[in-house]
Amino acid sequence: MVQEELLERSKQAMNMSYSPYSHFKVGASILTQTGNIFTGSNIENASYSLSMCAERVALFKALSEGHSVFTDLVISTSSSVPTFPCGACRQVLFEFCADIKIHLTGIAGRVYTVRDLLPYAFDAFQSFEHDISMKKSRC
Ligand code: THU
């Protein structure tokens, strides 16, 4: 089943985490509408603010390889408590896939969308009346 594979891939990605500062490992796997899976782990830096979250690594890998329609995202962490995506990741995910189904390891049978997690989101394409056709497909 695809979701089991997604879960497994996010755990594998978590093991690739580079997190010597926080010791908090995160892995993410994102599924495209065409069935491709991209994964990411958090990658930290001695200059802390340059660190990158796992979710954005996975999303950017997919986007940079031409994928722009996403259906599911799985997030795994080294914590025993399910971990929601940070605010920055919510905003970035909102740009590309506001309705993606987010699965958190440790919370079975419950999915969240970015719209759930980021109500009243800042949407530049509405706020500035940008040409909506320029926007990457939503999920
Ligand atoms: N982190 C993620 O990878 N994703 C999130 O949504 C929350 C935080 C990472 C960033 C940093 O490397 C570590 O977790 C602790 O904040």
Side-chain angles (χ1 to χ4, degrees):
M1 193 180 154
V2 171
Q3 278 180 16
E4 278 165 17
E5 189 183 344
L6 262 190
L7 176 62
E8 186 54 36
R9 296 285 299 275
S10 76
K11 287 181 177 166
Q12 286 172 3
M14 185 179 79
N15 290 325
M16 300 305 292
S17 166
Y18 177 72
S19 45
Y21 306 103
S22 72
H23 302 288
F24 187 67
K25 294 174 187 269
V26 186
S29 56
I30 193 165
L31 178 65
T32 71
Q33 197 176 48
T34 49
N36 297 77
I37 295 175
F38 290 85
T39 62
S41 62
N42 57 327
I43 302 171
E44 299 184 345
N45 193 275
S47 179
Y48 288 7
S49 64
L50 299 182
S51 301
M52 181 54 64
C53 292
E55 298 90 321
R56 276 178 280 164
V57 172
L59 177 67
F60 291 163
K61 280 169 69 177
L63 289 167
S64 63
E65 295 200 18
H67 297 269
S68 57
V69 185
F70 306 103
T71 61
D72 296 81
L73 171 70
V74 175
I75 304 168
S76 298
T77 75
S78 52
S79 169
S80 56
V81 177
T83 307
F84 286 89
C86 76
C89 287
R90 294 177 199 200
Q91 180 66 37
V92 171
L93 288 163
F94 181 82
E95 179 91 10
F96 299 102
C97 46
D99 297 307
I100 194 168
K101 293 187 284 297
I102 301 174
H103 311 258
L104 306 177
T105 57
I107 304 185
R110 170 85 157 94
V111 297
Y112 303 84
T113 65
V114 184
R115 286 186 205 284
D116 293 334
L117 302 180
L118 192 66
Y120 307 107
F122 177 65
D123 186 344
F125 286 86
Q126 279 183 355
S127 307
F128 307 154
E129 296 176 349
H130 281 316
D131 180 359
I132 196 73
S133 68
M134 292 290 289
K135 189 165 187 175
K136 291 267 190 188
S137 302
R138 293 170 181 266
C139 47

